[in-house]
Amino acid sequence: FNPYFSVEGGYVALGSVHSNGSGTVDMVPADRILPLEELATFADTARLRVRGWELAATGTWPLNRHWSLFGRLGAFHSRTTLDITSDPAPPLPGGLITESIHESSTDWTPAYGVGASYSPIPHWAFRLSWNRYAHLGDSSSMGGHFEANLVSLGVVYAL
């Protein structure tokens, strides 16, 4: 709108987090009279993914002809998905079975950040920024809210 205030929009993909784990479970089969235990192993995999659309107001403070600082405040329409699979190895008859969980959450969450830009020629700038995306996930189905930080280096064209 002017050299000090602008509105920005865009798509943000915060990537995926993958996790693998394994362990053992002691099982007491129900069909045995004596409490003889069987040992089962399992392998778990989990994947958490966050992406969405962002709209933010940006305030700019020019330091000189080429350098400026800026702050951003906006909203992030996030889609968070969590997939968990647990596989017993080996599968036990009447015992552990493969289980899969898929949870997803879509919500408007706060987004804010700060940064600096260098403009060597009019209308173009190189930008280094830090952004925080807060209250991602769902406290009832995903085990709680979490936050994500993004550090980016980019090129900006301003009309």
Side-chain angles (χ1 to χ4, degrees), residues 106-119:
T106 303
D107 198 9
W108 284 98
T109 61
Y112 52 92
V114 294
S117 57
Y118 172 70
S119 180

Side-chain angles (χ1 to χ4, degrees), residues 52-75:
W53 292 96
E54 178 181 26
L55 184 63
T58 303
T60 303
W61 179 27
L63 299 175
N64 60 37
R65 191 172 141 225
H66 296 290
W67 289 94
S68 63
L69 301 176
F70 64 90
R72 305 176 74 242
L73 180 62

